[in-house]
Amino acid sequence: QKEVEQDPGPLSVPEGAIVSLNCTYSNSAFQYFMWYRQYSRKGPELLMYTYSSGNKEDGRFTAQVDKSSKYISLFIRDSQPSDSATYLCAMGPFGNEKLTFGTGTRLTIIP
Amino acid sequence: NAGVTQTPKFQVLKTGQSMTLQCAQDMNHNSMYWYRQDPGMGLRLIYYSASEGTTDKGEVPNGYNVSRLNKREFSLRLESAAPSQTSVYFCATREGPNYGYTFGSGTRLTVV
């Protein structure tokens, strides 16, 4: 069993819809969580970073962490065609050099 | 500022050939990393360097070597390329543990 599970999709939604992307994890040592966005043929870019349970909002993006269920989510409101990309979750224990990534969810926003 | 610069962007090798992938960062970060990305496998850590002068193995180090030349540069070497090393390679850097990564734009390597 992988330490981090992420539905690969693909996921297609109409423009303006709310998108929900999720990851589950099994390692209770994971304490900080990130979401990366990766456009085709580009490197991943950091989108959201959080280390506490609950919600963190940044513009149209909300990161949610439930440590008791070992479940994290990324919500995108008012989705735009420019949000079409692969979204990767990543997580790790504090003070550790290694970060564990999900396999990524490919998202397409249909105009 | 360029952030993280990887060269080359594309490369085709024959089985058994060697090559070095270069990575340079201008962010003054201590930690540097090499990942490979394959369909369905996600990003897998090959080697990392927590600081200048140190390197450590990641999840998939076999067939690779690294050199942390100075604080800015971290190179990845394939001594005898194999088709299984066909992948997209990403260099990344961060200030230290608990921080987010900044990735380069990647090197697409095909071994035939």
Side-chain angles (χ1 to χ4, degrees):
Chain A
Q1 183 188 3
K2 293 180 181 178
E3 282 189 305
V4 178
E5 298 280 356
Q6 184 175 10
D7 188 336
L11 181 63
S12 295
V13 299
E15 183 176 354
I18 296 175
V19 176
S20 172
L21 304 167
N22 311 294
C23 288
T24 59
Y25 63 97
S26 58
N27 190 341
S28 55
F30 290 158
Q31 295 174 296
Y32 66 101
F33 308 88
M34 305 178 197
W35 286 95
Y36 288 82
R37 178 176 62 195
Q38 184 176 21
Y39 291 116
S40 180
R41 296 187 171 267
K42 301 289 186 182
E45 56 178 329
L46 182 64
L47 202 56
M48 298 286 284
Y49 175 106
T50 184
Y51 53 84
S52 56
S53 285
N55 294 348
K56 180 178 180 179
E57 195 172 312
D58 184 0
R60 295 185 296 110
F61 299 91
T62 300
Q64 186 177 82
V65 174
D66 182 346
K67 290 185 179 180
S68 62
S69 300
K70 297 188 178 65
Y71 189 89
I72 69 170
S73 300
L74 177 70
F75 298 98
I76 307 173
R77 291 186 302 279
D78 187 25
S79 55
Q80 304 294 312
S82 59
D83 296 327
S84 298
T86 296
Y87 290 80
L88 302 156
C89 63
M91 54 198 76
F94 281 140
N96 194 298
E97 284 289 343
K98 299 178 183 178
L99 201 62
T100 302
F101 284 84
T103 52
T105 299
R106 188 171 178 181
L107 173 67
T108 300
I109 307 299
I110 304 166
Chain B
N1 286 340
V4 180
T5 302
Q6 288 185 239
T7 54
K9 294 191 184 304
F10 302 93
Q11 185 71 49
V12 178
L13 288 179
K14 293 182 179 179
T15 298
Q17 286 185 318
S18 63
M19 77 162 295
T20 299
L21 282 64
Q22 307 285 355
C23 176
Q25 53 106 354
D26 62 4
M27 307 179 77
N28 200 34
H29 286 172
N30 290 314
S31 303
M32 297 187 74
Y33 306 81
W34 276 106
Y35 281 88
R36 60 179 289 174
Q37 187 175 38
D38 303 288
M41 303 292 287
L43 283 159
R44 292 183 291 169
L45 182 64
I46 305 171
Y47 271 94
Y48 67 97
S49 170
S51 61
E52 185 178 352
T54 69
T55 60
D56 284 287
K57 295 179 180 179
E59 184 184 353
V60 288
N62 291 346
Y64 305 95
N65 285 302
V66 290
S67 295
R68 183 74 182 267
L69 304 171
N70 47 54
K71 191 171 185 178
R72 291 188 63 248
E73 298 172 290
F74 188 37
S75 63
L76 178 72
R77 182 160 178 84
L78 287 70
E79 290 291 351
S80 179
S84 61
Q85 294 178 305
T86 293
S87 186
V88 182
Y89 291 85
F90 288 102
C91 177
T93 180
R94 60 177 175 173
E95 195 167 333
N98 313 334
Y99 289 85
Y101 285 142
T102 298
F103 284 89
S105 57
T107 295
R108 293 182 174 274
L109 176 67
T110 301
V111 182
V112 297

